[in-house]
Amino acid sequence: MDIPQSLIDTLCTSERVAVLTGAGISAESGIPTFREAQTGLWAQYNPEELATPGAFRRNPRLVWEWYQWRRGLVAKAQPNPGHLALAVMEAQVADFTLITQNVDGLHQRAGSRNVLELHGNLTRDKCFERGCVLEAGEQLAGSPPRCPHCGGYLRPDVVWFGESLPEEALHCALQASQNTQVFLSVGTSAIVHPAASLPEYALGVGAVVVEINPAETPLTQRATYVLQGPAGEVLPQLVRAVWPD
Ligand code: BV8
């Protein structure tokens, strides 16, 4: 992939960089993206129909077991060179913000320190009835288990469709997007809101917007630079070009 010299020069001299990642950055870690065909038992379900409070109310066991299946994939997955490159970039840029729609925790496992999780994290549980947050690692029986505090069902601590995003994370993501010099959109289909509006805020303040994705998205036509390829190859190449050892 040829990285435009003008982009290298811009990143070299930028003090403020914001990055938004989606399921595509975890694809090379073996985690299916949100919209590609799911495998096996789950192939018959549309994730957008499972990741809702209504689906959980109608069939808590089905939704809980879908997340247990995904937790198994995440537990076996390792951060890939794309995740690792963003951890290197964070160390090189004075004011770096990593915003993720992913719920797999791979950015943290790759060494990224300041990660804004817009859609929560599936390694955490919370109570569906009262939102009591549980200590990590409390293994309880049941599918889904019951909250030890109030007896309601447990659910994964992720944001479902129709639910509001965590206020603090969204506020910080908006702030970073409106204050950045460069905004990277990596591995996202750019259709889930409000995350998909973040690159628009960056464009609105004159930031350089870079899309890294093997496919086109609704953002492609608006981006300043489009690096069409897999994040696990493009990001390490970009980091090596801008910050050679
Ligand atoms: C909200 C967590 C306010 C769960 C997720 C009607 C009613 C209510 C709301 C709405 C509505 N109509 C629209 C909305 C808004 C809705 C929305 O945006 N819907 C979309 C579908 C139109 N949003 C919401 O509901 C949000 N909340 O609006 O609150 C509100 C409150 C109450 C009432 C009304 C409004 C909540 C959205 C959060 C949903 N939760 N995840 C879980 O994961 O189980 S979203 C889910 O999609 C994942 O987080 C995922 O990350 C995210 C976005 O998808 P992508 O990450 O982009 O993944 P995708 O598979 O789509 O694309 C992968 C991309 O990677 C592709 O482009 C592919 O080409 C690329 N790729 C593949 N391989 C690679 C690669 N790229 C790089 N390298 C590779 N190797």
Side-chain angles (χ1 to χ4, degrees), residues 21-22 55 101 107 131-132 134 142 152 155 162 178 188 192 206 216 225 235:
T21 63
Q101 301 170 89
H107 285 302
C132 327
L134 291 182
R155 55 166 285 180
Q178 292 171 300
T188 178
V192 173
E216 295 207 354
Y225 295 96
L235 278 172

Side-chain angles (χ1 to χ4, degrees), residues 84-96 111-113 239 243:
L84 298 168
L86 290 180
V88 171
M89 195 182 291
E90 179 178 38
Q92 299 286 352
V93 174
D95 182 353
F96 181 86
S112 292
R113 291 196 316 281
V239 167
W243 299 283

Side-chain angles (χ1 to χ4, degrees), residues 28-46:
E28 290 157 273
S29 294
I31 298 178
T33 63
F34 212 69
R35 280 161 189 79
E36 78 188 332
Q38 298 200 86
T39 55
L41 167 66
W42 303 106
Q44 60 191 299
Y45 296 101
N46 172 352

Side-chain angles (χ1 to χ4, degrees), residues 21-25 27-28 33-36 48 51 66-67 70 101-103 119 158-165 186-194 212-217 229-232:
T21 63
I25 197 169
E28 290 157 273
T33 63
F34 212 69
R35 280 161 189 79
E36 78 188 332
E48 282 173 23
W66 178 50
Y67 281 94
R70 290 172 64 191
Q101 301 170 89
N102 298 340
V103 295
H119 296 162
V158 298
V159 179
W160 281 332
F161 288 97
E163 293 186 322
S164 301
L165 276 59
V186 183
T188 178
S189 57
I191 57 175
V192 173
H193 288 271
I212 297 174
N213 194 319
E216 295 207 354
T217 76

Side-chain angles (χ1 to χ4, degrees), residues 6 19-20 49 57 94 102 117 128-129 140 153 165 170 174 225 232 238:
S6 56
V19 181
L20 172 68
E49 289 161 8
R57 283 194 198 91
N102 298 340
E117 292 182 315
F128 184 68
E129 300 305 330
L140 299 162
Y153 278 134
L165 276 59
L170 182 55
L174 286 166
Y225 295 96
L238 179 64

